[in-house]
PDB file of all heavy atoms in Angstrom:
ATOM      1  N   ALA A 177     132.902 199.510 240.025  1.00 99.00           N
ATOM      2  CA  ALA A 177     132.444 198.122 240.126  1.00 99.00           C
ATOM      3  C   ALA A 177     133.256 197.247 239.191  1.00 99.00           C
ATOM      4  O   ALA A 177     133.671 197.680 238.112  1.00 99.00           O
ATOM      5  CB  ALA A 177     130.965 198.028 239.775  1.00 99.00           C
ATOM      6  N   THR A 178     133.457 196.005 239.619  1.00 99.00           N
ATOM      7  CA  THR A 178     134.055 195.026 238.713  1.00 99.00           C
ATOM      8  C   THR A 178     132.944 194.108 238.211  1.00 99.00           C
ATOM      9  O   THR A 178     131.923 193.925 238.869  1.00 99.00           O
ATOM     10  CB  THR A 178     135.120 194.159 239.409  1.00 99.00           C
ATOM     11  OG1 THR A 178     134.495 193.387 240.444  1.00 99.00           O
ATOM     12  CG2 THR A 178     136.232 195.002 239.998  1.00 99.00           C
ATOM     13  N   GLN A 179     133.172 193.535 237.042  1.00 98.00           N
ATOM     14  CA  GLN A 179     132.309 192.462 236.558  1.00 98.00           C
ATOM     15  C   GLN A 179     133.186 191.319 236.057  1.00 98.00           C
ATOM     16  O   GLN A 179     134.165 191.537 235.334  1.00 98.00           O
ATOM     17  CB  GLN A 179     131.389 192.956 235.442  1.00 98.00           C
ATOM     18  CG  GLN A 179     130.245 193.823 235.983  1.00 98.00           C
ATOM     19  CD  GLN A 179     129.140 194.045 234.964  1.00 98.00           C
ATOM     20  OE1 GLN A 179     129.406 194.429 233.824  1.00 98.00           O
ATOM     21  NE2 GLN A 179     127.909 193.815 235.359  1.00 98.00           N
ATOM     22  N   ASP A 180     132.832 190.121 236.509  1.00 98.00           N
ATOM     23  CA  ASP A 180     133.437 188.909 235.999  1.00 98.00           C
ATOM     24  C   ASP A 180     132.878 188.806 234.573  1.00 98.00           C
ATOM     25  O   ASP A 180     131.655 188.884 234.376  1.00 98.00           O
ATOM     26  CB  ASP A 180     132.927 187.752 236.889  1.00 98.00           C
ATOM     27  CG  ASP A 180     133.971 186.705 237.174  1.00 98.00           C
ATOM     28  OD1 ASP A 180     135.171 187.006 237.113  1.00 98.00           O
ATOM     29  OD2 ASP A 180     133.571 185.554 237.474  1.00 98.00           O
ATOM     30  N   TRP A 181     133.750 188.657 233.580  1.00 98.00           N
ATOM     31  CA  TRP A 181     133.318 188.856 232.182  1.00 98.00           C
ATOM     32  C   TRP A 181     134.057 187.855 231.305  1.00 98.00           C
ATOM     33  O   TRP A 181     135.004 188.194 230.595  1.00 98.00           O
ATOM     34  CB  TRP A 181     133.648 190.316 231.827  1.00 98.00           C
ATOM     35  CG  TRP A 181     132.835 190.922 230.738  1.00 98.00           C
ATOM     36  CD1 TRP A 181     133.268 191.210 229.467  1.00 98.00           C
ATOM     37  CD2 TRP A 181     131.475 191.370 230.813  1.00 98.00           C
ATOM     38  NE1 TRP A 181     132.244 191.792 228.761  1.00 98.00           N
ATOM     39  CE2 TRP A 181     131.134 191.915 229.559  1.00 98.00           C
ATOM     40  CE3 TRP A 181     130.495 191.361 231.821  1.00 98.00           C
ATOM     41  CZ2 TRP A 181     129.861 192.439 229.283  1.00 98.00           C
ATOM     42  CZ3 TRP A 181     129.253 191.887 231.550  1.00 98.00           C
ATOM     43  CH2 TRP A 181     128.944 192.419 230.286  1.00 98.00           C
ATOM     44  N   HIS A 182     133.586 186.608 231.393  1.00 98.00           N
ATOM     45  CA  HIS A 182     134.337 185.510 230.787  1.00 98.00           C
ATOM     46  C   HIS A 182     133.920 185.209 229.356  1.00 98.00           C
ATOM     47  O   HIS A 182     132.747 185.344 229.006  1.00 98.00           O
ATOM     48  CB  HIS A 182     134.141 184.234 231.615  1.00 98.00           C
ATOM     49  CG  HIS A 182     134.607 184.340 233.039  1.00 98.00           C
ATOM     50  ND1 HIS A 182     135.874 184.746 233.375  1.00 98.00           N
ATOM     51  CD2 HIS A 182     133.972 184.085 234.219  1.00 98.00           C
ATOM     52  CE1 HIS A 182     135.995 184.726 234.697  1.00 98.00           C
ATOM     53  NE2 HIS A 182     134.865 184.349 235.238  1.00 98.00           N
ATOM     54  N   PRO A 183     134.903 184.702 228.561  1.00 98.00           N
ATOM     55  CA  PRO A 183     134.527 184.172 227.243  1.00 98.00           C
ATOM     56  C   PRO A 183     133.782 182.849 227.437  1.00 98.00           C
ATOM     57  O   PRO A 183     133.860 182.243 228.507  1.00 98.00           O
ATOM     58  CB  PRO A 183     135.871 183.946 226.548  1.00 98.00           C
ATOM     59  CG  PRO A 183     136.877 183.863 227.628  1.00 98.00           C
ATOM     60  CD  PRO A 183     136.345 184.591 228.814  1.00 98.00           C
ATOM     61  N   ARG A 184     133.070 182.405 226.400  1.00 98.00           N
ATOM     62  CA  ARG A 184     132.302 181.160 226.466  1.00 98.00           C
ATOM     63  C   ARG A 184     133.211 179.962 226.776  1.00 98.00           C
ATOM     64  O   ARG A 184     132.837 179.066 227.502  1.00 98.00           O
ATOM     65  CB  ARG A 184     131.634 180.969 225.098  1.00 98.00           C
ATOM     66  CG  ARG A 184     130.275 180.414 225.141  1.00 98.00           C
ATOM     67  CD  ARG A 184     129.566 180.677 223.811  1.00 98.00           C
ATOM     68  NE  ARG A 184     128.846 181.942 223.868  1.00 98.00           N
ATOM     69  CZ  ARG A 184     127.743 182.115 224.590  1.00 98.00           C
ATOM     70  NH1 ARG A 184     127.244 181.134 225.300  1.00 98.00           N
ATOM     71  NH2 ARG A 184     127.139 183.286 224.604  1.00 98.00           N
ATOM     72  N   LYS A 185     134.404 179.976 226.202  1.00 97.00           N
ATOM     73  CA  LYS A 185     135.375 178.907 226.459  1.00 97.00           C
ATOM     74  C   LYS A 185     136.572 179.497 227.192  1.00 97.00           C
ATOM     75  O   LYS A 185     137.249 180.372 226.643  1.00 97.00           O
ATOM     76  CB  LYS A 185     135.837 178.279 225.142  1.00 97.00           C
ATOM     77  CG  LYS A 185     134.771 177.383 224.563  1.00 97.00           C
ATOM     78  CD  LYS A 185     135.374 176.276 223.724  1.00 97.00           C
ATOM     79  CE  LYS A 185     134.339 175.204 223.625  1.00 97.00           C
ATOM     80  NZ  LYS A 185     133.948 174.548 222.601  1.00 97.00           N
ATOM     81  N   THR A 186     136.803 178.986 228.394  1.00 98.00           N
ATOM     82  CA  THR A 186     137.942 179.464 229.167  1.00 98.00           C
ATOM     83  C   THR A 186     138.382 178.376 230.145  1.00 98.00           C
ATOM     84  O   THR A 186     137.540 177.607 230.647  1.00 98.00           O
ATOM     85  CB  THR A 186     137.602 180.764 229.951  1.00 98.00           C
ATOM     86  OG1 THR A 186     138.577 180.969 230.979  1.00 98.00           O
ATOM     87  CG2 THR A 186     136.229 180.716 230.594  1.00 98.00           C
ATOM     88  N   ALA A 187     139.673 178.325 230.428  1.00 97.00           N
ATOM     89  CA  ALA A 187     140.212 177.371 231.398  1.00 97.00           C
ATOM     90  C   ALA A 187     139.554 177.555 232.770  1.00 97.00           C
ATOM     91  O   ALA A 187     139.453 176.605 233.554  1.00 97.00           O
ATOM     92  CB  ALA A 187     141.723 177.547 231.504  1.00 97.00           C
ATOM     93  N   HIS A 188     139.081 178.744 233.036  1.00 98.00           N
ATOM     94  CA  HIS A 188     138.382 179.068 234.293  1.00 98.00           C
ATOM     95  C   HIS A 188     137.168 178.149 234.505  1.00 98.00           C
ATOM     96  O   HIS A 188     136.842 177.809 235.640  1.00 98.00           O
ATOM     97  CB  HIS A 188     137.949 180.535 234.186  1.00 98.00           C
ATOM     98  CG  HIS A 188     137.357 181.154 235.408  1.00 98.00           C
ATOM     99  ND1 HIS A 188     138.038 181.312 236.596  1.00 98.00           N
ATOM    100  CD2 HIS A 188     136.138 181.715 235.612  1.00 98.00           C
ATOM    101  CE1 HIS A 188     137.254 181.936 237.477  1.00 98.00           C
ATOM    102  NE2 HIS A 188     136.097 182.194 236.907  1.00 98.00           N
ATOM    103  N   PHE A 189     136.539 177.713 233.403  1.00 98.00           N
ATOM    104  CA  PHE A 189     135.353 176.853 233.517  1.00 98.00           C
ATOM    105  C   PHE A 189     135.714 175.378 233.706  1.00 98.00           C
ATOM    106  O   PHE A 189     134.831 174.520 233.760  1.00 98.00           O
ATOM    107  CB  PHE A 189     134.412 177.047 232.312  1.00 98.00           C
ATOM    108  CG  PHE A 189     133.789 178.423 232.221  1.00 98.00           C
ATOM    109  CD1 PHE A 189     133.281 178.904 231.019  1.00 98.00           C
ATOM    110  CD2 PHE A 189     133.712 179.251 233.349  1.00 98.00           C
ATOM    111  CE1 PHE A 189     132.707 180.173 230.926  1.00 98.00           C
ATOM    112  CE2 PHE A 189     133.143 180.534 233.271  1.00 98.00           C
ATOM    113  CZ  PHE A 189     132.644 180.985 232.057  1.00 98.00           C
TER     114      PHE A 189
END
Side-chain angles (χ1 to χ4, degrees):
T178 64
Q179 285 194 310
D180 218 24
W181 205 252
H182 300 306
R184 218 162 269 289
K185 285 208 160 134
T186 163
H188 187 63
F189 294 159

